[in-house]
Amino acid sequence: GTIGTLLSERLAGSYDLVLQGRQPRTPAQRDVLRLADLSDYAEVLPLMGGVDTVVHLAGSASPESTWDAVLWANIVGLRNVLEAAREAGVRRFVFASSNHAMGGHDRVGDWPVLPTSLPRPDSLYGVSKVFGETLGRFYHDEYGIDVISLRIGWVSDDPMDTDVDLLHAMWLSPGDCEQVVRCAIEAAVTYGVFYAISDNPNR
């Protein structure tokens, strides 16, 4: 997707990347992208050989996603990736959660919304992200894998591409997106749920 493509380009000079996806988005990806159906565990496990850290961005990404879409991509698929990571001895798992895990607070103006606030998803997509954060907590506690969940906001080059105030509050610049993922990969902390948004005045 958009964030995966951005990170694959910006992190390539710092890490030895293994890229997975459903289909190439750029000509360069055609030669390196490893294709796998994340709902099929047998296809996922071979992706993990020699991997230290998984940055999991895959899934159905729209707040309008149907139950079937989030079930297979965001729930079954995530479980398969986490389990394959555990089986292969992966050290760290960075999970792309979303501000939609807490979007119900925004609907009623229940602010501020903190990482310690109770989940209040605004959609089935948001529900799937709450599930992902909770499954990550279990895998950390049960198996000792490092898990960092990032509640990613709205990634865009220009925050003024919209006049929606909530999106302005949730804006994450491409540079900050790169930086927060680098921090999630390298931080000493072994577990946490963090908001990933830029220093916006009305965040």
Side-chain angles (χ1 to χ4, degrees), residues 7 11 13 22 34 43 55 60 65 75-76 79 85 97 102 104 124-125 137 140 162 166 169 171 173 175 178 189 193:
L7 293 174
L11 301 181
R22 289 175 298 174
R34 299 180 67 181
E43 292 189 22
V55 178
S60 184
S65 296
I75 294 177
V76 175
R79 177 269 170 192
S97 186
M102 307 296 274
L124 289 171
Y125 168 74
R137 172 90 257 190
H140 173 73
T162 180
L166 186 59
W171 182 61
S173 72
E178 172 192 353
V189 65
V193 178

Side-chain angles (χ1 to χ4, degrees), residues 68-154:
D68 280 345
V70 299
L71 172 63
W72 292 105
N74 298 13
I75 294 177
V76 175
L78 171 64
R79 177 269 170 192
N80 285 343
V81 177
L82 258 170
E83 178 60 16
R86 181 203 65 78
E87 185 173 339
V90 169
R91 178 186 63 88
R92 174 162 294 212
F93 195 93
V94 179
F95 172 57
S97 186
S98 171
N99 57 285
H100 289 279
M102 307 296 274
H105 292 286
D106 296 321
R107 285 185 174 172
V108 298
D110 181 18
W111 297 312
V113 181
L114 306 172
T116 53
S117 301
L118 289 175
R120 195 170 183 177
D122 61 9
S123 56
L124 289 171
Y125 168 74
V127 169
S128 74
K129 294 302 184 179
V130 173
F131 171 84
E133 293 177 3
T134 304
L135 189 64
R137 172 90 257 190
F138 171 76
Y139 268 77
H140 173 73
D141 290 345
E142 189 74 7
Y143 304 115
I145 187 171
D146 296 355
V147 177
I148 306 296
S149 295
L150 299 176
R151 288 178 177 162
I152 296 173
W154 173 56

Side-chain angles (χ1 to χ4, degrees), residues 37 39-47 80:
D37 179 352
S39 68
D40 185 340
Y41 186 74
E43 292 189 22
V44 177
L45 184 57
L47 299 172
N80 285 343

Side-chain angles (χ1 to χ4, degrees), residues 154 156 158-170 202:
W154 173 56
S156 173
D158 184 356
M160 302 315 293
D161 283 344
T162 180
D163 58 3
V164 178
D165 283 342
L166 186 59
L167 287 179
H168 292 161
M170 294 293 176
N202 60 339

